[in-house]
């Protein structure tokens, strides 16, 4: 069985609730009025921003200094000491080599002639008379120069080339055909140990040019010290050289 329940509406609207409801209605109406006013009013246009001008400040450069005053011309004509004369340096002439002096062989002085008799000119001092003859014996050793020869030493070889150095003097035709040879030459020894005035004594095989090649090699490649006689150079003593061309030279 259903029972209906009646609600008293007046009990809902109490005085306190009515007062709050009235305040709410007033606030809502105020907001609606403010919105209406704002909607009707048009915003004023924005004012344009002023133009920005950039300014750069700098310190100006100082002005250049004034030019110096012109120099007044002097009445002195100038001049001075005259220029020194030019000096041309001329190189001295080349010195002519002076050959060393070779001491000449000493010669024995001739023995004075024995004069027996009266002196041709008188003198205040007494002279020496002729002595008598006597007998005696003695020994002694002395050194002197005479027509004979003393102790002699032969020439000394100071420089002798290697077989490879003699290849440049090998006769070209014989070198091309592989022919070896030998030349025996005689040369005079100069004071500077160089050989000159060479002549061919023999060449093997003959007619192949080994003689002339031997002379050229002796003058260019060999050096000799002259022979000595009693400690002095003997330039009359010649050097005899055997020059061999090739490994199979006789």
């Amino acid at each position: 069985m259903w029972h209906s329940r009646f609600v008293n509406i007046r009990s809902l609207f109490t005085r306190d609730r009515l007062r709050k409801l009235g305040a709410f209605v007033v606030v809502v109406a105020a907001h609606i009025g403010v919105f209406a006013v704002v909607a009707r009013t048009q915003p004023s246009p924005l004012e344009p921003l002023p133009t920005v001008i950039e300014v750069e400040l700098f310190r100006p450069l100082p002005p250049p200094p004034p030019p110096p005053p012109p120099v007044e011309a002097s009445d002195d004509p100038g001049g001075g000491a005259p220029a020194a004369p030019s000096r041309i340096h001329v190189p001295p002439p080349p010195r002519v080599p002076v050959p060393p002096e070779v001491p000449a062989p000493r010669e024995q002085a001739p023995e004075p002639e024995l004069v027996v008799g009266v002196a041709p000119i008188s003198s205040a001092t007494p002279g020496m008379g002729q002595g008598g003859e006597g007998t005696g014996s003695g020994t002694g050793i002395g050194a002197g120069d005479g027509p004979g020869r003393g102790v002699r030493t032969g020439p000394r070889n100071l420089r002798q080339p290697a077989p490879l150095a003699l290849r440049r003097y090998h006769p070209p035709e014989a070198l091309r055909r592989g022919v070896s040879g030998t030349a025996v030459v005689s040369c005079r020894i100069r004071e500077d140990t160089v050989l000159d005035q060479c002549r061919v004594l023999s060449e093997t095989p003959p007619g192949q040019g080994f003689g002339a090649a031997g002379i050229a090699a002796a003058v260019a490649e060999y050096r000799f010290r002259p022979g000595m006689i009693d400690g002095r150079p003997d330039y009359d003593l010649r050097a005899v050289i055997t020059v061999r061309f090739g490994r199979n030279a006789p």
Side-chain angles (χ1 to χ4, degrees):
M1 183 174 181
W2 296 93
H3 296 280
S4 62
R5 189 176 183 181
F6 296 97
V7 179
N8 190 3
I9 298 176
R10 289 183 178 182
S11 61
L12 295 176
F13 294 98
T14 62
R15 182 180 295 178
D16 186 30
R17 290 181 177 178
L18 290 176
R19 187 175 58 253
K20 292 180 178 180
L21 180 61
F24 177 75
V25 172
V26 172
V27 172
V28 172
H31 280 80
I32 293 174
V34 171
F35 287 140
V37 173
V38 172
R40 288 184 179 182
T41 57
Q42 294 182 358
S44 58
L46 298 177
E47 295 182 359
L49 298 175
T51 305
V52 179
I53 301 175
E54 295 183 359
V55 178
E56 183 178 358
L57 301 179
F58 63 94
R59 188 184 300 274
L61 296 176
V71 180
E72 297 181 359
S74 176
D75 297 335
D76 187 5
S86 301
R87 299 177 62 183
I88 301 176
H89 297 277
V90 180
R95 295 183 179 180
V96 179
V98 180
E101 297 183 358
V102 180
R106 292 180 296 177
E107 296 181 359
Q108 185 176 7
E111 298 181 358
E113 184 180 358
L114 180 63
V115 179
V116 181
V118 181
I121 301 175
S122 61
S123 61
T125 58
M128 300 295 293
Q130 181 180 5
E133 297 181 358
T135 60
S137 62
T139 60
I141 299 175
D145 295 327
R149 293 287 185 176
V151 179
R152 169 181 291 184
T153 58
R156 181 181 177 185
N157 191 350
L158 300 179
R159 190 181 75 184
Q160 183 175 356
L164 186 61
L166 296 176
R167 184 180 178 86
R168 71 182 69 177
Y169 305 99
H170 201 122
E173 184 63 24
L175 181 62
R176 186 183 64 84
R177 292 187 289 109
V179 178
S180 302
T182 304
V184 181
V185 296
S186 173
C187 302
R188 186 180 72 93
I189 305 174
R190 300 191 322 198
E191 297 177 9
D192 56 356
T193 70
V194 179
L195 303 179
D196 64 355
Q197 299 181 9
C198 298
R199 63 176 180 267
V200 179
L201 300 181
S202 64
E203 59 177 339
T204 305
Q208 301 292 332
F210 289 104
I215 292 178
V219 174
E221 301 294 339
Y222 287 83
R223 295 293 182 269
F224 276 83
R225 180 177 296 173
M228 307 293 287
I229 298 179
D230 291 337
R232 297 190 302 271
D234 183 12
Y235 296 103
D236 294 334
L237 190 62
R238 301 173 66 89
V240 178
I241 307 169
T242 301
V243 186
R244 291 179 171 84
F245 300 94
R247 297 181 179 180
N248 301 326

